[in-house]
Amino acid sequence: MSKIHVTTTINGEPAEFLTEPQMSLLDILRDEMHLTGSKEGCGSGDCGACSVIMDGRVVCSCLVLGVEAEGKDITTIEGIANGEDLHPVQRKFLEHAALQCGFCTPGLIVATKALLDRNPDPTETEARYWLAGNLCRCTGYDKIIRAVMDAAAEMRGA
Amino acid sequence: MTYLNKADLKVVGTRPIRPDGVDKVTGRAVFGADQALPGMLVGKLLRSTHAHAKIVSIDTSKALALKGVKAVVTSADFPDIPSEEAFVGEGPMNFRDLSRNVMARGKVLYHGHAVAAVAATTSEIADAALALIDVKYEVLPFVIDVEEAMKPGAPVLHNDLFTQGTTPQPTEPSNVAKRVQFALGDVDAAFKTADVIVEGRYTTEPVHQAYIEPHACVVSVGADGQAIIYSSSQGHFMVRAYCAKLLGMELSNIRAMPSEIGGGFGGKTLVYLEPVAMALSKQTGRPVKMVMTREDVFRATGPTSGGVIEVKLGAKKDGTIVAAEAILKFQAGAFPGSPVQPGCMTCFAMYDLKDVRIIGYDVVSNRPKVAAYRAPGAPISTFGTESAMDELALKLGMDPIELRLKNAAKDGTKAAYGPTLQNIGYIPTLQAAKAHPHYSAPLGKNQGRGVASGFWFNIGGESSGSVHVNEDGSVSIVTGSPDIGGSRASMAMMCAEVLGIPMEKVRPVVGDTATIGFTHLTGGSRVTFATGMAVTQAAEKVRDELKVRAAKIWDIPPEAVEWKDGMAVPAGANAGGFDPLSLADIAIKAAKTGGPIISEVSVNAQGAGPGFATHICDVEVDPETGFTTVLRYTAIQDVGRAIHPSYVEGQIQGGAAQGIGWALNEEYIYNAKGELDNPGFLDYRVPVASDMPMIEAVMIEVPNPRHPFGAKGVGEVPIVPPLAAVANAVRSATGLRMADLPISPPKLRAAFDAR
Ligand code: FES
Ligand code: FES
């Protein structure tokens, strides 16, 4: 099977890869680009562990084909912090102990960043529905939601 | 030495950032499937398409002939293990059963049972190879339901399974693997003295642990037979032990490396992939990586049992329970080993009963072999007993918390399963529940409130921990306990407390099987208790050694040195007028005073304090759709001492959420062909953020004097009360006793209609 050449931007840097037509963006990120921060919990769009931001929208990278990345701007968990400076969402997840095993955490942080980029002042209900596609089996979501609301407040300067 | 006085603690009880936190919020943490080795092959499993069938033949020749396929294995490539009971994981395990669960031998016992595996250069080639393996089956009748499986004439899974625990032992094989009984007093006579009797039959469905990380491993076996295993599990010593047994290897020839683990809840206390990857790697001489799909996880791992719970309670008019009886029938899946025994032991352990009898049956059927799930057995049996307690309170016209207070177990209570309870905090959880504003808050239309309690033993056992003082005075800790929910933080905190230094000076790591002493797996709520005890003792030995070194530097006797706030100081004026020596001051001179300062301690910790919890749940029911919304939830628990309160709260909240899912949504649904119909997160619906309210975790601290800091296990008991707490709330909202879980909208709608 011949591979397709894709030119894209990942975490602000130009990137190129060769992909077979059926490969998912998640497989490309994890296996070709060695960005293993995005996780596979289901491969069917039901858990959100593979969430990345593509042209400003949060998507399940397991449901996106590698070829669809052509010309797109992709942000993964590895691109959320600014060097050693954690993004406020990452910091608040740590301060609120919003993770136990941490497997859902990359997807939740990416999805939360996308939420706050779009809606800096979500209600708790809005946050819960926005994140309803990101499963966490460990925490019961309590501390996650607190971290999200606190990060939103900090980013608004409230 | 103990540190039970909370006022003296500087680190324990605070809420620092966990040491592995940054890795986990930046994507740097390496989980099972993130591991890769050069030259790695992809391993995949072929799974049974029948619920029950004889394997007539397996032809692998076409698969082997495919370009890129490096090996194909079947049960013929594994030793045929004789029956042998062992205790390696979270419960008893028969090595033969485990081996046959990992790779079917002669018979497939459930849809999804592994029958063959391939190793190939790419995932696509591996898939193509699986399609070329020709398995001839002779299809057998199957049985899914537990009570069906118990009936005479039911299809028998194992011809050599004769019920244990009955006299005389039957001569005919059946699906009932075991009968267990726990009793105190004379129940039949005691029921005759009761003023009020309630009886009920309750059922639960199998539910999966549903950790978000599927099972994954990379295994590499060298030409000299030395194997290295990277895998996500609750215990790499367990992985090593099982793989050695299943492949006939020596323990020292296997090095098991712990990766980060993306949730387990008991479900990662046994092996599925590792022995298969090991066999494939042995044959190919190359590393083999295996990762389950979510469908594999649902079809072939976990879940916990579904069960039938028959309960009878007898009480005096004033609420004193005079007799209690329960009969439990638990599905074990394809091999014996349901948690019916702990189910029996826990379901009345909250109460001080003189006359009580609990009988349990462990029953096999054509389902995946069950695995431990958080307080194994207790949520199932306690759903029955705590629903019955609610019925009793109604019948007596008594407040449900008052009824529980009247009968509550306290220090000195003899439990039906044997021991006399000590240092327990059940009554304080009930008192706190009663006094909590939640309990008296007003309720609206279609709303109701339920309460329920729960018990879990908690365990101790073997753990190792080492503490190293580095040359610059910083400290490293190694333990053998995979960190599943923040235990690195609690280990570092206990060590820092003992040494009198800030927690940030202490870096904890999880060592592999070759770098730290044997440590039993992460389960049974044992890590903070047992591994924490090992780390604390190792830190104390290091502290003693630091005093010895300071004494050498000062040239005074060691008894004349005291350790205070992370410094060696002279014990008094007589000892001499020396300036305090910090850890760094002493560490830098270590070479001159006797060499490296380290200590490794291994313990077999005894005296884990049992956990008790009481939960309050408010629901609102939509009579039109039958949909139940949890509006408010308060979980009160005796935690002994919270080392890192945030992670203790997290355990309580997470356990409660899993219990709510169990009560309302989650179930294994089988079709007429004996296939699981919902093997994915779309149809097996775990609670999502929009389903849940905040969960208020209330921690009561009744310290456990058998642990240096008073800790009790906290991870398991929070999943015990929610099933009945939710059902009791639904009853309060609707007047309907929902005795069969889950209380899904169609079921509740049907109950409304039937009224
Ligand atoms: S892996 Fe993509 S949604 Fe689960
Ligand atoms: S922290 Fe484990 S799944 Fe969310």
Side-chain angles (χ1 to χ4, degrees), chain B residues 550-697:
Chain B
K552 271 198 183 148
I553 294 170
W554 289 331
D555 199 15
I556 60 174
E559 310 81 66
V561 180
E562 255 178 25
W563 193 257
K564 237 182 128 204
D565 299 330
M567 306 252 193
V569 293
N574 290 345
F578 303 104
D579 286 341
L581 287 172
S582 71
L583 233 159
D585 296 333
I586 301 170
I588 221 160
K589 296 203 172 92
K592 289 196 191 109
T593 57
I597 303 168
I598 64 166
S599 168
E600 179 167 339
V601 170
S602 294
V603 298
N604 187 355
Q606 305 298 318
F612 288 88
T614 298
H615 292 192
I616 314 169
C617 172
D618 288 2
V619 300
E620 181 169 322
V621 170
D622 181 345
E624 216 165 304
T625 61
F627 190 84
T628 302
T629 307
V630 178
L631 298 174
R632 184 171 179 181
Y633 203 97
T634 304
I636 303 151
Q637 184 174 323
D638 168 25
V639 302
R641 173 76 73 229
I643 307 295
H644 190 310
S646 297
Y647 287 99
V648 175
E649 289 164 358
Q651 288 294 322
I652 295 173
Q653 292 161 339
Q658 288 183 323
I660 291 170
W662 199 333
L664 291 176
N665 289 326
E666 297 177 33
E667 60 181 317
Y668 264 40
I669 300 169
Y670 277 83
N671 65 23
K673 287 186 287 187
E675 294 164 2
L676 179 63
D677 252 352
N678 58 334
F681 279 137
L682 189 61
D683 298 316
Y684 182 97
R685 197 169 176 284
V686 304
V688 303
S690 54
D691 294 331
M692 297 293 300
M694 290 296 185
I695 295 170
E696 188 183 341

Side-chain angles (χ1 to χ4, degrees), chain A residues 26 39-50 60-63:
Chain A
L26 178 60
K39 304 298 177 199
E40 178 162 338
C42 67
S44 56
D46 300 313
C47 78
C50 62
C60 293
S61 62
C62 70
L63 295 185

Side-chain angles (χ1 to χ4, degrees), chain B residues 331-595:
Chain B
Q331 300 160 0
F335 298 94
S338 77
V340 72
Q341 182 150 330
C344 290
M345 292 158 83
T346 51
C347 65
F348 288 124
M350 295 81 79
Y351 303 111
D352 190 353
L353 304 172
K354 305 282 172 285
D355 296 284
V356 53
R357 180 170 60 215
I358 313 130
I359 297 169
Y361 296 95
D362 181 29
V363 184
V364 297
S365 64
N366 295 109
R367 296 167 171 269
K369 171 176 173 49
V370 299
Y373 182 20
R374 214 168 192 156
I380 305 166
S381 56
T382 306
F383 167 62
T385 55
E386 285 294 278
S387 295
M389 284 295 284
D390 202 54
E391 287 294 304
L392 183 60
L394 279 166
K395 208 158 176 181
L396 291 164
M398 240 178 126
D399 173 87
I401 295 184
E402 283 304 329
L403 175 64
R404 288 173 172 83
L405 274 169
K406 184 145 197 95
N407 296 287
K410 48 195 167 297
D411 288 355
T413 292
K414 184 164 169 54
Y417 72 89
T420 300
L421 302 171
Q422 290 302 343
N423 303 301
I424 65 170
Y426 178 41
I427 289 176
T429 70
L430 290 167
Q431 287 163 337
K434 219 177 144 205
H436 196 286
H438 182 173
Y439 197 58
S440 47
L443 287 166
K445 194 166 172 257
N446 294 324
Q447 296 179 355
R449 175 167 302 141
V451 295
S453 299
F455 163 90
W456 184 249
F457 318 89
N458 298 322
I459 60 169
E462 295 153 281
S463 275
S464 303
S466 72
V467 174
H468 302 213
V469 177
N470 300 317
E471 305 91 285
D472 61 356
S474 62
V475 172
S476 302
I477 304 181
V478 187
T479 75
S481 294
D483 179 355
I484 200 161
S487 60
R488 285 183 186 89
S490 58
M491 297 304 134
M493 290 169 78
M494 287 184 270
C495 176
E497 188 76 58
V498 172
L499 295 177
I501 57 177
M503 186 244 203
E504 293 68 31
K505 284 267 173 216
V506 182
R507 287 305 298 185
V509 302
V510 183
D512 64 73
T513 54
T515 56
I516 185 75
F518 179 83
T519 300
H520 189 55
L521 52 68
T522 296
S525 299
R526 61 176 298 279
V527 172
T528 305
F529 179 73
T531 309
M533 194 182 279
V535 167
T536 303
Q537 289 180 12
E540 286 170 341
K541 286 195 171 171
V542 159
R543 190 180 58 193
D544 291 345
E545 183 61 21
L546 287 164
K547 289 196 277 182
V548 170
R549 302 301 179 93
K552 271 198 183 148
I553 294 170
W554 289 331
D555 199 15
I556 60 174
E559 310 81 66
V561 180
E562 255 178 25
W563 193 257
K564 237 182 128 204
D565 299 330
M567 306 252 193
V569 293
N574 290 345
F578 303 104
D579 286 341
L581 287 172
S582 71
L583 233 159
D585 296 333
I586 301 170
I588 221 160
K589 296 203 172 92
K592 289 196 191 109
T593 57

